Amino acid sequence: MSVVYCHIFRRLISYNPYRKKSTTMPLKRVFFWQPNAGSTVNSQILNEVSQCVESINGVKEGRWKATLTFYKPMLRDQALSAEFPREFIGISLPEQPNKYYFVLRFNKIVLESDSSIQLIMEKLQSYKSRVALNFEGFQYQLGDFQLRVGKVVPSHSENLRGIVMEVEYLPISSLEKSKQIMEEFFDIWQDAISKRSLPGRFIHIEPDFSDYGLADHYTSQHTAVQYTHVTSQLIASVQAVQTGRN
Amino acid sequence: MLQQHQHHHLQSAITAAPPPSATTSTPPSSTTGEAPPKQVALAMDRLGQAARLIADIRLGADRLLEALFVASQPHQSSKPLHLFRQEDESMRQHLQDLRTVGKQLEESGVLNESLRSRSNSWGLHMPLVCPDGAVVAYAWKRQLAGQAGASAVDRTRLALKAFTDQKRRFFPHLDDEEDGEGTDTVSKKHRNLPALAEDNQDNLSDCKTLSDVLTNLEKEIPNLKVSTYERLDWLKRASSLPASANDNTMEAPKHNFHSTSILRPAPQNVASMDKVAVIELFFPSIFRAVVSLHPAGSTDPDSVAFFSPDEGGSYMHSRGSSVYHVFRQITEHATVALQYFLGIRSKTALYSLLHWICSYQTLFTKVCNKCGRLLAMDRQSALILPPVHRPYRTLSVSKQSSSQSISSTLDQGSNAPEAYHIGCFSDNM
């Protein structure tokens, strides 16, 4: 049943695998903050991270904001809910104001659609937003690198749930060719931030993009997949802290 | 409100000067009989006078207003009246003087462009007063200063300094040859280099035509896509870039050097080689380099520039500049290298240049030979960059068999070209 629904949904968004792929973007890695065992994330850490970026000559440019929403289907018969995709996520990204991205994490599907799809969903009353998160913060320029540091807060709340960092290398868009550059940049970053003795570290776990049918050339769909994975890791770490407390 | 009144007053004063009428078609002989530099000097003087007069008039207007204000206060003596009369007289005198100066300036052609049409200008244009009041006088000021002030020795010294600065910047290799204080080892090394270059040039004597060079290049370096264009065609292509990188395999590039022999009959290929003015070297996902040839169809490169593989736009040409720092730095380094190739190895300049460009295919993977890292913070520009320098003096371009081609010896091989960060690179490499 869920497979059928996926197909219907795909047609709704006119997804055509033979259509020209979305435009390539400079490649990007999304990191999330993993607090050490026994400590939590707080805004002091966020300040320290921002200062660290500026200490390696980052120039503050402006604000950025991305959103991530967990949807649940509106069903009359709740028993059918097991047949629907387990995690259905919608993401909006600041670099693509006219697009909205859908990720089905367990089905390994990512879709790019027009941002008007949100209005359509609302009118159809097909899916409802269960949880929505905002990623927002400041953007910094470091020569050919662009960094974004942001806090993770539930929408309609100021509770800091996590910290994310995006590292983007602008000149090229090939994941394979840029691997070394990104790793070395992270080494430089680690050198700088370890001096501040913060209780935690940034982690990046590269999702398997080929599972989602994505190619070596980086696109915003890759970013959407990264955010999905980062969110699930954040949730897992928050839950781990809570169970640790109980 | 008051300011406007003053300006209006001044403007009407200047325009009140009657224009030179037709009857006085010959201006006073004192102005035309003089050489243009003298005319220019006089014009500058008069402009200065006019400016001083205008300042005096402004001050006078202020004083008049002050006197009026004081007079409007109750219980005043006749002092304000006296002041008023005094100012009135001096204002009238200033305005009269201004009219005179204005007339003189108009006759000399400063306030309009009439002097340009007169033949007696010797190419020195008179200073021009722009509608916004600015005086365009810089060129003759220098001329006047040169004739009046600086001596021949001073001017020669300045010229020599400017020249050596430029030479040091764009032709660093020439400096070494003239440096008589170099140590023995340094001078020996440089004596050997021209010999080495000569050897290589002999080996490559059969690579004389453009198509030979390009064919040879394509054989040796597999990842490379070489394309050639006429100058205008390149502009069209640059504006249409970036063609969606994912569609490269589906597109049949019309100007691809390699495929023309397949897609078109041979005679057409040969004819178009004569007009080739732009060579594009494309390493997918790494960089795109644009080399311009002058004259078209020859093997003489005259400029080179590097760009991101995803960049596009009409600014992408051999004298253009990438929007990304890394490619801008490489372009600057490449310009110096090009001068070296043209100067020391002029017969094989194009071949050497193209091979040297191809050494950048390891830009994002090869670590610096000096510090062993890929990224480093460059102190001067405060940017984090990969090693953007590749040495060009010791580049050996003797023909290699396909088993020894540059790309097969990976980054760690001893045959691989070296790479350095800006800060790790020293000039004698």
Side-chain angles (χ1 to χ4, degrees):
Chain A
M1 177 65 188
S2 62
V3 177
V4 171
Y5 209 97
C6 290
H7 279 297
I8 294 172
F9 198 60
R10 278 192 212 187
R11 246 171 261 138
L12 195 67
I13 307 176
S14 63
Y15 170 73
N16 178 357
Y18 301 105
R19 174 181 70 118
K20 188 161 127 171
K21 293 191 170 55
S22 52
T23 49
T24 55
M25 299 286 283
L27 48 93
K28 186 189 290 201
R29 281 194 179 182
V30 183
F31 297 80
F32 69 98
W33 179 259
Q34 173 85 289
N36 288 340
S39 64
T40 51
V41 70
N42 56 54
S43 49
Q44 177 58 25
I45 297 179
L46 185 61
N47 288 341
E48 293 269 352
V49 168
S50 309
Q51 283 173 21
C52 189
V53 175
E54 289 177 0
S55 77
I56 52 172
N57 301 324
V59 175
K60 193 185 269 199
E61 280 199 325
R63 292 178 178 273
W64 68 281
K65 178 174 168 184
T67 67
L68 188 146
T69 310
F70 286 89
Y71 290 101
K72 70 173 185 199
M74 309 261 281
L75 301 165
R76 270 182 237 140
D77 184 0
Q78 284 304 317
L80 288 172
S81 63
E83 310 208 5
F84 281 77
R86 242 171 78 191
E87 261 184 30
F88 177 36
I89 292 169
I91 297 172
S92 77
L93 297 172
E95 55 263 25
Q96 302 277 13
N98 298 331
K99 303 265 184 231
Y100 199 67
Y101 296 86
F102 291 107
V103 180
L104 296 170
R105 191 156 72 95
F106 290 95
N107 303 75
K108 302 291 183 209
I109 293 175
V110 59
L111 294 172
E112 177 183 279
S113 76
D114 197 83
S115 52
S116 57
I117 190 71
Q118 292 171 280
L119 195 59
I120 294 174
M121 279 170 66
E122 214 177 306
K123 285 205 175 139
L124 285 177
Q125 287 285 299
S126 52
Y127 280 87
K128 196 165 146 186
S129 154
R130 184 163 58 91
V131 172
L133 295 171
N134 286 345
F135 302 82
E136 53 195 12
F138 287 102
Q139 183 170 300
Y140 300 85
Q141 192 82 23
L142 283 86
D144 290 328
F145 287 92
Q146 191 167 282
L147 253 67
R148 284 181 178 161
V149 177
K151 58 185 178 186
V152 185
V153 289
S155 59
H156 315 306
S157 157
E158 280 302 314
N159 248 336
L160 179 68
R161 293 308 187 98
I163 299 176
V164 294
M165 181 171 73
E166 285 186 17
V167 176
E168 194 174 15
Y169 188 56
L170 300 168
I172 51 178
S173 57
S174 157
L175 280 164
E176 189 212 321
K177 299 270 185 314
S178 60
K179 213 158 157 214
Q180 247 173 291
I181 292 259
M182 296 304 265
E183 279 167 9
E184 280 225 8
F185 182 83
F186 189 62
D187 289 339
I188 294 176
W189 166 258
Q190 281 291 91
D191 279 343
I193 194 131
S194 57
K195 292 187 187 123
R196 294 176 183 251
S197 313
L198 297 174
R201 59 203 176 102
F202 276 106
I203 295 188
H204 169 74
I205 303 178
E206 181 105 328
D208 193 344
F209 291 116
S210 54
D211 275 354
Y212 286 85
L214 296 172
D216 181 61
H217 276 280
Y218 195 83
T219 62
S220 295
Q221 292 179 0
H222 291 74
T223 308
V225 169
Q226 287 197 61
Y227 267 97
T228 308
H229 282 244
V230 158
T231 304
S232 62
Q233 279 145 5
L234 267 171
I235 291 175
S237 71
V238 164
Q239 283 174 344
V241 167
Q242 284 176 343
T243 51
R245 280 205 200 120
N246 293 346
Chain B
M1 176 68 186
L2 297 165
Q3 288 288 340
Q4 283 173 7
H5 186 75
Q6 283 177 14
H7 279 288
H8 179 71
H9 204 66
L10 298 170
Q11 272 174 3
S12 57
I14 292 175
T15 51
S21 59
T23 53
T24 57
S25 56
T26 56
S29 58
S30 58
T31 42
T32 46
E34 288 158 357
K38 180 87 188 261
Q39 293 177 33
V40 170
L42 280 174
M44 292 300 294
D45 253 349
R46 286 184 196 133
L47 281 171
Q49 277 178 25
R52 279 192 291 274
L53 285 169
I54 290 173
D56 285 338
I57 290 171
R58 279 208 178 107
L59 275 174
D62 275 338
R63 286 197 204 108
L64 281 175
L65 288 167
E66 204 191 296
L68 281 172
F69 183 70
V70 168
S72 72
Q73 303 289 336
H75 309 308
Q76 287 298 325
S77 60
S78 64
K79 193 166 160 220
L81 184 61
H82 178 67
L83 266 173
F84 195 88
R85 276 203 198 108
Q86 208 181 1
E87 272 318 307
D88 178 45
E89 265 179 42
S90 67
M91 279 287 268
R92 281 184 204 275
Q93 182 55 46
H94 287 319
L95 285 168
Q96 185 55 42
D97 291 339
L98 191 60
R99 278 192 200 103
T100 320
V101 172
K103 232 189 285 187
Q104 287 172 334
L105 283 171
E106 279 215 347
E107 281 167 7
S108 70
V110 173
L111 296 179
N112 53 39
E113 298 213 345
S114 64
L115 190 62
R116 289 195 185 184
S117 55
R118 298 186 208 172
S119 56
N120 197 16
S121 63
W122 290 6
L124 296 172
H125 294 296
M126 295 295 277
L128 213 54
V129 180
C130 303
D132 67 351
V135 177
V136 181
Y138 185 65
W140 324 278
K141 267 190 186 163
R142 275 205 312 197
Q143 184 89 19
L144 293 172
Q147 288 179 340
S151 69
V153 173
D154 286 333
R155 274 179 281 150
T156 316
R157 197 181 304 136
L158 279 171
L160 184 63
K161 182 171 186 310
F163 179 70
T164 32
D165 280 348
Q166 292 286 319
K167 193 181 81 143
R168 200 173 299 133
R169 189 170 158 213
F170 288 109
F171 305 91
H173 52 279
L174 292 178
D175 258 353
D176 297 331
E177 290 172 4
E178 289 176 8
D179 185 8
E181 295 165 2
T183 59
D184 275 348
T185 48
V186 170
S187 55
K188 265 192 209 151
K189 189 167 140 189
H190 286 292
R191 255 183 264 130
N192 285 338
L193 273 182
L196 192 66
E198 280 304 317
D199 267 346
N200 288 335
Q201 289 188 31
D202 291 338
N203 286 346
L204 301 165
S205 57
D206 55 342
C207 248
K208 275 203 180 131
T209 67
L210 181 57
S211 47
D212 283 342
V213 172
L214 294 177
T215 323
N216 193 287
L217 196 69
E218 277 196 326
K219 269 192 229 151
E220 289 199 9
I221 300 172
N223 289 347
L224 172 62
K225 286 193 172 73
V226 180
S227 316
T228 55
Y229 301 86
E230 299 181 25
R231 211 168 283 281
L232 283 178
D233 288 343
W234 168 254
L235 194 58
K236 281 185 216 151
R237 169 154 164 87
S239 304
S240 70
L241 283 171
S244 171
N246 302 336
D247 289 350
N248 260 348
T249 46
M250 301 197 300
E251 224 175 70
K254 291 185 202 120
H255 293 275
N256 188 297
F257 175 71
H258 187 69
S259 65
T260 40
S261 52
I262 303 170
L263 296 175
R264 292 200 217 153
Q268 250 185 340
N269 196 6
V270 170
S272 61
M273 270 287 132
D274 285 342
K275 295 202 196 124
V276 165
V278 175
I279 302 176
E280 174 199 17
L281 299 177
F282 182 55
F283 281 93
S285 309
I286 308 182
F287 71 86
R288 191 188 306 267
V290 184
V291 178
S292 146
L293 300 170
H294 187 74
S298 69
T299 53
D300 300 321
D302 77 333
S303 52
V304 57
F306 281 73
F307 298 93
S308 155
D310 309 316
E311 254 180 301
S314 57
Y315 65 91
M316 279 183 66
H317 52 80
S318 63
R319 290 182 201 273
S321 185
S322 168
V323 303
Y324 301 110
H325 296 273
V326 55
F327 295 112
R328 283 209 285 266
Q329 295 283 350
I330 299 178
T331 302
E332 219 179 274
H333 188 57
T335 311
V336 178
L338 172 61
Q339 295 305 323
Y340 174 79
F341 292 129
L342 286 174
I344 304 279
R345 311 187 188 189
S346 51
K347 287 188 211 138
T348 53
L350 182 64
Y351 190 80
S352 311
L353 177 70
L354 295 179
H355 269 266
W356 181 78
I357 289 175
C358 292
S359 70
Y360 277 93
Q361 59 179 311
T362 56
L363 175 61
F364 297 114
T365 48
K366 175 112 176 66
V367 300
C368 172
N369 278 62
K370 178 144 181 228
C371 67
R373 317 217 61 212
L374 184 59
L375 287 179
M377 170 82 75
D378 175 46
R379 303 240 170 270
Q380 225 182 2
S381 53
L383 298 170
I384 299 179
L385 293 168
V388 294
H389 278 198
R390 301 276 188 285
Y392 45 81
R393 294 173 198 237
T394 51
L395 183 71
S396 75
V397 287
S398 51
K399 280 191 183 167
Q400 311 211 355
S401 62
S402 55
S403 60
Q404 280 181 16
S405 67
I406 296 174
S407 61
S408 72
T409 60
L410 281 180
D411 313 357
Q412 313 310 324
S414 56
N415 279 342
E418 304 172 323
Y420 296 92
H421 291 115
I422 299 172
C424 302
F425 184 74
S426 53
D427 272 342
N428 57 3
M429 293 189 179

